[in-house]
Amino acid sequence: LELKNLSDKSVEIKFKVNNEIKIEKVDLVVGADGIRSAVRNFAIEEKTSRLQYLDCIVILGICPIENIKNLKSDLLDSETVFQSANGVERMYMMPFSSEEIMWQFSYPKSEDLAIKLSSEGSKALKNDVFERTKNWHSPIPEIISATPSENISGYPVYDREILDQDLLNNIGSVTL
């Protein structure tokens, strides 16, 4: 990604799609591309706002409804979003599509241990979530058990400090 502010207050944006370089002239670029934002990196130097570890890990999974078709629960109507927590750990589940349910499990963990668990792969992440939720209310343990390991990922959670307004004054027609 390359951005260039033009004299007419527009922005030239250069990016790659399917190995083809595209160049577009736009009125505004909105950087909403995450904590490692390419737009943010263009607009301000990353060292101005370093990543901060939030002292937790998040583990994500997508379970095919087919894998839990015999499970009866009012929470599995393909419309309901629910969250359960025990004061330390939090499980969030929602329909992902008409054929899948997505879940997100988070809990406090030191950065070193979160990086280690994440690097051990999807089977280790699944085992971790299952062990932590096996005694939780239905349908949580059943969904975790039925989620294919290849549909599971997990990461240490980071954020950035709130930006000082002065940093944004000279970036032209780009916003974050």
Side-chain angles (χ1 to χ4, degrees), residues 98-135:
S98 61
E99 299 172 358
E100 300 165 308
I101 186 166
M102 185 277 294
W103 53 264
Q104 179 187 74
F105 186 69
S106 57
Y107 65 94
K109 197 167 194 71
S110 74
E111 186 175 20
D112 290 343
L113 291 176
I115 290 169
K116 181 179 183 303
L117 178 58
S118 180
S119 73
E120 291 173 359
S122 58
K123 288 181 182 175
L125 292 164
K126 179 177 180 171
N127 290 340
D128 184 72
V129 176
F130 184 77
E131 284 302 312
R132 291 172 177 277
T133 61
K134 65 184 176 188
N135 295 319

Side-chain angles (χ1 to χ4, degrees), residues 121-162:
S122 58
K123 288 181 182 175
L125 292 164
K126 179 177 180 171
N127 290 340
D128 184 72
V129 176
F130 184 77
E131 284 302 312
R132 291 172 177 277
T133 61
K134 65 184 176 188
N135 295 319
W136 286 34
H137 68 82
S138 184
I140 292 172
E142 296 89 346
I143 290 172
I144 302 308
S145 183
T147 302
S149 293
E150 61 269 15
N151 289 3
I152 297 175
S153 60
Y155 312 94
V157 180
Y158 297 89
D159 202 356
R160 295 196 185 271
E161 293 177 8
I162 295 173

Side-chain angles (χ1 to χ4, degrees), residues 50-80:
R50 292 188 175 93
L51 287 174
Q52 296 179 325
Y53 184 59
L54 297 183
D55 297 317
C56 72
I57 188 168
V58 64
I59 302 172
L60 309 155
I62 298 176
C63 181
I65 298 296
E66 175 69 21
N67 291 9
I68 54 171
K69 65 183 175 194
N70 295 325
L71 182 59
K72 303 295 179 223
S73 173
D74 292 338
L75 298 173
L76 299 175
D77 60 5
S78 295
E79 294 178 5
T80 299

